[in-house]
């Protein structure tokens, strides 16, 4: 599945959980049945449903606003992961969520923010640590996508590929778990710096020094080539 942005405006993505761990509920058709027959809605409320095995199912057409966050549906996309107990969400689900959100973030040039349903509701939804999973900052921005259009960059290193879950494209101003991962790898590679999860000037200088040491273009943008070099050096 490749995400294609709908014609309507979107600025927020909401994450949900299905509040069930039962295997027989692990399918968008069950959610659709609940929403259509129990709530009299025209279709399932979510746009995407992620099964325990990581399969991403498409629900309500993206051109339609979701029915998922009361009072906060306009301008949003709604994603639901099957699960009730935080510990029982699967790695495959998290990887699919990261990949899907990465595609969405890329489609919008990093201009959308990601949120849990709980941020606009008293409901305990989702129950898993979505901020950590997606590496979100306090505003809900992810560093999953470049914030500048890839067309404005002339570096092959900046061409967005499907990111490894913990190794998205990173540049100045990125924040969160992937930046901590980067800083730890830079430190192991001999470019010691404070591991604070913020891609600031010190991290930029360390990235450029590392890139120069590897004969990579020292553009300070951490893309697939820089990650690969970092992994090679860290493993040595
Ligand atoms: Zn919810």
């Amino acid at each position: 599945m490749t995400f294609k942005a709908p014609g309507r405006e979107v600025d927020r993505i909401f994450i949900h959980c299905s509040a069930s761990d039962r295997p027989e509920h692990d399918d968008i058709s069950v959610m659709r049945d609940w929403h259509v027959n129990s709530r009299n809605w025209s279709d399932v409320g979510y746009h995407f449903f992620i099964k325990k095995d990581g399969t991403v199912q498409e629900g309500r057409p993206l051109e339609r606003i979701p029915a998922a966050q009361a009072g906060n549906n306009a301008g949003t996309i709604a994603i639901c992961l099957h699960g009730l107990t935080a510990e029982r969400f699967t790695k495959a689900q998290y990887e699919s969520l990261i990949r899907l959100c990465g595609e969405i973030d890329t489609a919008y040039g990093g201009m959308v923010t990601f949120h849990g349903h709980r941020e606009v509701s008293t409901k305990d939804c989702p129950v898993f640590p979505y901020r950590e999973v997606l590496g979100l900052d306090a505003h809900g921005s992810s560093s999953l996508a470049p914030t500048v259009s890839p067309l404005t960059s002339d570096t092959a290193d900046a061409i967005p590929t499907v990111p490894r879950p913990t190794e998205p494209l990173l540049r100045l101003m990125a924040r969160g778990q992937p930046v901590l991962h980067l800083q730890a790898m830079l430190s192991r590679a001999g470019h010691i710096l404070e591991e604070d999860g913020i891609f600031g000037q010190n991290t930029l200088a360390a990235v450029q020094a590392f890139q120069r040491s590897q004969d990579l273009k020292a553009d300070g943008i951490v893309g697939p080539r820089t990650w690969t070099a970092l992994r090679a050096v860290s493993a040595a």
Side-chain angles (χ1 to χ4, degrees), residues 25-207:
H25 294 163
D26 190 6
D27 198 277
I28 189 97
S29 63
V30 176
M31 302 295 301
R32 180 174 280 120
D33 184 53
W34 288 348
H35 289 174
V36 172
N37 294 320
S38 305
R39 300 191 187 173
N40 268 321
W41 292 351
S42 60
D43 195 354
V44 63
Y46 309 117
H47 294 112
F48 297 102
F49 185 81
I50 304 180
K51 291 161 61 92
K52 294 268 186 182
D53 69 1
T55 304
V56 178
Q57 297 180 309
E58 296 182 48
R60 177 175 292 228
L62 279 165
E63 292 297 343
R64 296 188 51 205
I65 68 167
Q69 312 90 215
N72 283 275
N73 284 310
T76 74
I77 289 172
I79 302 170
C80 179
L81 274 69
H82 183 54
L84 168 66
T85 317
E87 301 74 46
R88 292 178 66 183
F89 288 87
T90 67
K91 190 160 171 282
Q93 283 181 299
Y94 289 161
E95 286 173 353
S96 290
L97 179 67
I98 291 164
R99 196 161 47 240
L100 174 60
C101 290
E103 285 189 18
I104 294 172
D105 209 24
T106 300
Y108 290 103
M111 298 304 286
V112 290
T113 51
F114 297 83
H115 307 273
H117 184 194
R118 58 167 64 239
E119 293 174 46
V120 295
S121 163
T122 54
K123 288 183 182 150
D124 194 17
C125 172
V127 295
F128 63 87
Y130 62 96
R131 289 183 165 283
E132 286 74 16
V133 171
L134 291 172
L136 303 179
D137 70 11
H139 306 287
S141 291
S142 88
S143 42
L144 294 167
T147 49
V148 175
S149 164
L151 296 177
T152 61
S153 171
D154 62 352
T155 62
D157 202 33
I159 293 170
T161 56
V162 177
R164 291 163 69 99
T166 57
E167 299 182 354
L169 195 95
L170 295 178
R171 65 175 75 213
L172 195 62
M173 304 303 285
R175 282 162 184 262
Q177 198 61 43
V179 177
L180 280 170
H181 178 54
L182 168 67
Q183 290 171 330
M185 288 177 100
L186 285 166
S187 290
R188 279 204 295 279
H191 303 275
I192 312 293
L193 75 170
E194 188 189 354
E195 295 175 25
D196 59 2
I198 301 169
F199 196 136
Q201 293 298 334
N202 292 341
T203 304
L204 177 66
V207 168

